[in-house]
Amino acid sequence: MIALKDIHVAFTVGDGARMRALDGIDLVIEDGAFVTLIGTNGAGKSTLLNVLAGTVDPTRGHLLVDGVDVTRTRDFQRATWLSRVFPDPRLGTCDQLTIEENLALALAKGKRRGIGRPLTSCERTMLKDRLADLGLGLEARLSTPARLLSSGQRQSLTVLMATLSQPRLLLLDEHVANLDPRTQANILTVTDTTIRRQGLAAIMVTHDVRHALDFGDRLIALKAGRIVLDVSGEAKASLKMADIDAVYGNERIAAVA
């Protein structure tokens, strides 16, 4: 279980004033929960993910993992229990490395391993099986450099790489935002299948309300650094666009595909 307790974040802006990005966030993410996170620009979505990832320190409050306070641990120290996928597919893979080499690096994440240790036959078989699950034929292209893949193929590979270490928490930071609608649908299906198959806890930030409604077991809406909506189960399943509009009024949060 991962818990945010009374998290506040404030930044100093150009004129010396303090801008409040998160304002008393209390949030518990249970093991296996798939959460979608929405909000207007400046609502605090990215800041919340950055607090979880360790790239932003809260001004006040605590982050707990299974009751252990990890608030001041650095981002690289969280690699053993957290993975993140960014909007740009190029950020999750190395251009010059092959598919197999990228996967080998991801498999070694957070572990003490010798540099350049080859994959075992069991590891290679497992990785080919996981690639086959993507349905893109990448299992037959292990020696292909990542730079030769399409954006959709590369982001699918990134999602797979992010989940190989069985993270306690997977952060999906608008990970389909830079893809065309058809590719978005494919990546979201891959993401949903992977999360559920592995029983991962995940937070998916999205500007597309339809994606937030269609995926995940729980929906959280942020506004001005505060949680203004938190629904799960049947309540989430029955949510409509009108319910989201009622929360944000005239503020536009997404162009729904």
Side-chain angles (χ1 to χ4, degrees):
M1 183 180 72
I2 296 168
L4 294 159
K5 301 290 187 182
D6 192 32
I7 294 291
H8 294 253
V9 175
F11 299 109
T12 301
V13 294
D15 59 1
R18 296 285 279 176
M19 181 189 72
R20 194 174 290 176
L22 294 178
D23 188 12
I25 297 292
D26 288 302
L27 178 62
V28 174
I29 306 297
E30 301 287 353
D31 292 344
F34 183 4
V35 179
T36 55
L37 181 65
I38 61 172
T40 54
N41 288 332
K45 303 182 301 298
S46 293
T47 302
L48 179 58
L49 260 60
N50 287 335
V51 168
L52 286 163
T55 56
V56 166
D57 290 328
T59 310
R60 193 171 88 211
H62 298 276
L63 171 62
L64 308 176
V65 177
D66 292 337
V68 177
D69 194 325
V70 298
T71 311
R72 300 303 168 188
T73 59
R74 307 317 315 149
D75 52 350
F76 67 88
Q77 295 172 303
R78 303 185 188 192
T80 57
W81 59 270
L82 183 142
S83 291
R84 187 172 185 175
V85 180
F86 293 92
D88 188 343
R90 294 171 297 179
L91 294 179
T93 52
C94 180
D95 276 351
Q96 305 305 317
L97 297 184
T98 66
I99 291 174
E100 180 175 317
E101 289 167 339
N102 273 286
L103 288 171
L105 281 179
L107 199 59
K109 179 185 174 185
K111 300 175 182 177
R112 293 183 179 274
R113 298 169 62 125
I115 296 175
R117 186 186 76 79
L119 293 172
T120 66
S121 59
C122 289
E123 287 173 336
R124 184 172 285 105
T125 298
M126 179 273 291
L127 292 175
K128 291 181 72 172
D129 288 343
R130 294 287 298 276
L131 282 169
D133 289 339
L134 300 179
L136 300 172
L138 297 181
E139 67 277 9
R141 301 178 60 187
L142 290 178
S143 61
T144 300
R147 70 179 184 278
L148 298 182
L149 301 179
S150 69
S151 294
Q153 290 170 331
R154 198 157 173 174
Q155 195 69 321
S156 294
L157 179 61
T158 300
V159 171
L160 173 55
M161 290 170 61
T163 59
L164 283 177
S165 61
Q166 285 286 127
R168 292 293 305 275
L169 182 62
L170 175 65
L171 302 180
L172 301 163
D173 191 356
E174 298 188 58
H175 73 304
V176 300
N178 293 341
L179 304 172
D180 64 83
R182 182 174 180 178
T183 305
Q184 284 185 352
N186 291 337
I187 299 293
L188 287 168
T189 298
V190 166
T191 301
D192 184 66
T193 301
T194 301
I195 288 171
R196 298 191 185 284
R197 180 179 292 141
Q198 296 185 225
L200 302 177
I203 299 178
M204 184 176 82
V205 172
T206 178
H207 271 101
D208 192 317
V209 177
R210 182 54 55 196
H211 293 164
L213 293 172
D214 290 346
F215 292 90
D217 313 303
R218 180 180 176 189
L219 184 147
I220 292 174
L222 290 181
K223 184 177 182 179
R226 297 181 178 181
I227 295 174
V228 292
L229 183 66
D230 185 352
V231 292
S232 57
E234 293 184 6
K236 179 187 182 298
S238 63
L239 272 180
K240 307 295 183 187
M241 284 297 302
D243 300 315
I244 304 298
D245 290 340
V247 170
Y248 289 100
N250 293 327
E251 296 182 78
R252 185 175 177 81
I253 71 170
V256 179

